[in-house]
């Protein structure tokens, strides 16, 4: 029997919190376009719908460009790789601030999106290598707090600055935040002493990292992450029109309601981070099951304002907050390398795209409740994709017994 759980887990170091500052900058840039659509449309001389495509362009750059940039940096020490990614991201936001045409802005979003996903992958990989194995979930949760704070504070900040001083000012502000985050990273974060995975040579080639794609458990982990996030974003993407047109909330109250949702994601992220290491699969099952129930309640009681708000907050508690447990499962089924974590991020981005795009397609025919029903279906499929991990003790709770080792070898 293993005795590792009797030893207290090491505290999360300051360097991991600094990595979260970088994530905050990335997420603020990602969401800035959503908050500045009217100003960008006027400034670039295009319709709102074309500004909406800038969101899609950023997401596609994350999903496709992120892994490519990460693979190009595999042989670069992690801290230096982060500095290079910061430089690419900074260039993208400066280009956005200087853009005077739609094509230039589109290029800026491609550059920023590519760097953003690469940063997520490298920073998550570094965070779990800066702590012991029993603290990985907490470390990922700390890094993901940058994502939650970007949603809660970064988007309103960019929208406020862009609305008051003009949309280029928002991107200049993000560039400044990026410089501060890069300076903190350079001062505090050091490359881990150990390789990404014990026994894996530092000069491992890209092909060996991609070999994890042959592992069924790794593929199930990627699939479940895509479906969990897809289920959540099926509803999240349409909160504003649902709350105003169906629930009957005044438009002026929606920012406060979204603030409550954002606060719920922060709380949920902390809780899941505490549970993700020792109760990985049960956390995913319970959280996704609750998300399915909250989505069902939201669909059934959308026209009851108090209940709609309660179920929306519930979705915030157990939706995107599954990220730490999802990351731990992926790392145990695959590895902790930057490329694997970046690939995982790409599949999460795919979930966002599926949830928002499919939801949009359903609305004209079936109305604003349709995306919520889609989310329920995706959550059910996510539960089915989580179940195969129950047979593996290492995936369930990190147990490294001979039996679990044998199961992992069979899975390969």
């Amino acid at each position: 029997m293993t005795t590792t759980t009797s030893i207290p887990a090491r505290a999360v170091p300051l360097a991991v919190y600094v990595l979260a500052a970088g994530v905050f900058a990335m997420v603020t840039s990602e969401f800035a376009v959503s908050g500045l659509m009217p100003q960008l449309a006027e400034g670039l001389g295009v319709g709102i719908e074309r500004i909406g495509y800038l969101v899609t362009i950023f997401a596609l750059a994350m999903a496709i460009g992120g892994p490519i940039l990460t693979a190009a940096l595999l042989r670069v020490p992690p801290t230096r790789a982060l500095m290079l990614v910061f430089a690419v991201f900074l260039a993208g936001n400066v280009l956005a601030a200087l853009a005077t045409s739609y094509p230039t802005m589109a290029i800026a979003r491609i550059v920023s999106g590519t760097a953003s996903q690469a940063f997520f992958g490298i920073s998550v990989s570094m965070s779990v290598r800066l702590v012991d194995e029993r603290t990985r979930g907490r470390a990922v949760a700390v890094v993901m707090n940058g994502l939650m704070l970007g949603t809660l504070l970064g988007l309103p900040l960019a929208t406020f600055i862009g609305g008051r001083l003009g949309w280029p000012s928002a991107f200049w502000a993000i560039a400044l935040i990026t410089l501060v985050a890069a300076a903190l990273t350079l001062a505090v974060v050091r490359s881990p002493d150990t390789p990404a995975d014990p026994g894996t040579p530092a000069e491992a080639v890209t092909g060996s990292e991609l070999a994890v794609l042959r592992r069924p458990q790794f593929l199930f982990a990627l699939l479940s992450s895509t479906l969990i996030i897809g289920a959540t974003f099926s509803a999240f993407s349409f909160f504003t029109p649902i709350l105003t047109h169906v629930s009957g909330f005044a438009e002026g109250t929606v920012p406060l309601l979204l603030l409550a949702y954002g606060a719920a994601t922060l709380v949920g992220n902390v809780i899941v981070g505490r549970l993700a290491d020792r109760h990985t699969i049960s956390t995913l099952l319970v959280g996704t099951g609750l998300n399915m129930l909250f989505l069902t309640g939201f669909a059934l009681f959308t026209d009851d304002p108090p209940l709609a708000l309660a179920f929306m907050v519930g979705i915030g508690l157990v939706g995107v907050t599954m990220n730490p447990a999802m990351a731990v499962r992926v790392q145990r089924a695959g590895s902790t390398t930057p490329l694997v974590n970046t690939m995982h991020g790409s599949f999460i981005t795919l979930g966002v795209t599926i949830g928002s795009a499919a939801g949009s397609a359903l609305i004209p025919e079936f109305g604003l409740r349709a995306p919520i029903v889609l989310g329920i279906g995706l959550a059910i499929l996510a539960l089915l994709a989580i179940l195969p991990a129950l047979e593996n003790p290492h995936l369930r709770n990190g147990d490294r017994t001979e039996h679990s080792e044998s199961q992992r070898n069979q899975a390969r």
Side-chain angles (χ1 to χ4, degrees):
M1 293 182 60
T2 181
T3 59
T4 56
T5 55
S6 62
I7 304 172
R10 184 159 59 98
V12 177
L14 176 61
V16 178
Y17 289 89
V18 171
L19 292 173
V23 172
F24 174 81
M26 308 288 160
V27 173
T28 301
S29 179
E30 178 182 358
F31 292 156
V33 166
S34 299
L36 297 170
M37 282 190 173
Q39 296 94 324
L40 283 166
E42 182 180 354
L44 297 176
V46 297
I48 287 288
E49 71 282 356
R50 292 194 67 189
I51 300 301
Y53 286 131
L54 292 175
V55 178
T56 306
I57 288 171
F58 193 98
L60 289 174
M62 290 181 71
I64 300 171
I68 294 174
L69 179 57
T70 304
L73 296 173
L74 281 178
R75 296 178 181 273
V76 179
T79 302
R80 188 181 303 171
L82 285 178
M83 290 299 106
L84 291 172
V85 172
F86 269 127
V88 173
F89 183 73
L90 179 65
N93 282 279
V94 169
L95 182 61
L98 296 173
T100 57
S101 67
Y102 186 86
T104 302
M105 178 60 77
I107 293 171
R109 299 306 283 170
I110 291 172
V111 173
S112 299
T114 297
S116 179
Q117 189 72 292
F119 188 90
F120 286 155
I122 297 171
S123 61
V124 168
S125 179
M126 285 192 71
S127 72
V128 300
R129 292 166 60 192
L130 289 168
V131 299
D132 61 44
E133 188 174 356
R134 290 158 291 116
T135 319
R136 286 179 176 177
R138 288 177 58 191
V140 173
V142 169
V143 173
M144 287 299 104
N145 271 335
L147 188 155
M148 309 304 170
L149 287 171
T151 306
L152 184 64
L153 302 177
L155 174 58
L157 177 65
T159 304
F160 176 79
I161 293 174
R164 292 296 181 89
L165 303 176
W167 63 262
S169 299
F171 291 102
W172 285 121
I174 293 168
L176 179 60
I177 294 172
T178 302
L179 287 172
V180 172
L184 288 172
T185 301
L186 191 61
V188 176
V189 180
R190 297 289 179 268
S191 295
D193 295 328
T194 57
D197 278 297
T200 301
E203 65 274 10
V205 296
T206 305
S208 65
E209 296 199 4
L210 292 176
V212 298
L213 291 171
R214 294 196 296 267
R215 302 179 188 175
Q217 289 287 6
F218 180 70
L219 296 177
F220 274 122
L222 293 180
L223 176 61
S224 64
S225 293
T226 302
L227 292 168
I228 289 169
I229 298 302
T232 303
F233 272 81
S234 294
F236 174 79
S237 301
F238 307 98
F239 274 162
T240 297
I242 290 171
L243 292 172
T244 54
H245 296 153
V246 182
S247 302
F249 286 102
E251 288 188 8
T253 65
V254 171
L256 294 176
L257 302 180
L258 295 178
L259 190 66
Y261 173 87
T265 65
L266 277 174
V267 173
N269 188 59
V270 172
I271 294 172
V272 173
R274 295 281 179 173
L275 298 172
D277 294 296
R278 295 185 59 186
H279 309 284
T280 311
I281 304 306
S282 58
T283 298
L284 287 172
L285 285 172
V286 172
T288 304
L290 286 174
N291 198 24
M292 180 192 68
L293 293 177
F294 289 141
L295 285 164
T296 302
F298 193 50
L300 291 174
F301 300 101
T302 318
D303 53 1
D304 186 316
L307 287 176
L309 176 59
F311 286 119
M312 184 187 76
V313 171
I315 294 168
L317 281 171
V318 294
V320 295
T321 58
M322 291 298 106
N323 259 301
M326 285 157 41
V328 170
R329 181 189 179 190
V330 164
Q331 290 159 10
R332 287 175 181 164
S335 71
T336 62
T337 59
L339 186 56
V340 165
N341 283 295
T342 305
M343 280 194 292
H344 184 216
S346 293
F347 276 85
I348 288 174
T349 302
L350 176 62
V352 174
T353 304
I354 290 173
S356 58
S360 295
L362 290 171
I363 288 174
E365 184 71 23
F366 301 103
L368 283 168
R369 278 190 174 90
I372 312 173
V373 177
L374 170 66
I376 297 169
L378 293 176
I380 293 172
L381 293 176
L383 288 170
L384 295 176
I386 296 168
L387 289 175
L390 284 173
E391 68 184 23
N392 191 314
H394 180 58
L395 297 180
R396 284 203 313 269
N397 53 27
D399 183 14
R400 287 186 177 276
T401 61
E402 291 182 6
H403 179 61
S404 65
E405 183 67 37
S406 173
Q407 287 183 320
R408 288 201 307 280
N409 289 335
Q410 290 175 7
R412 293 172 187 172

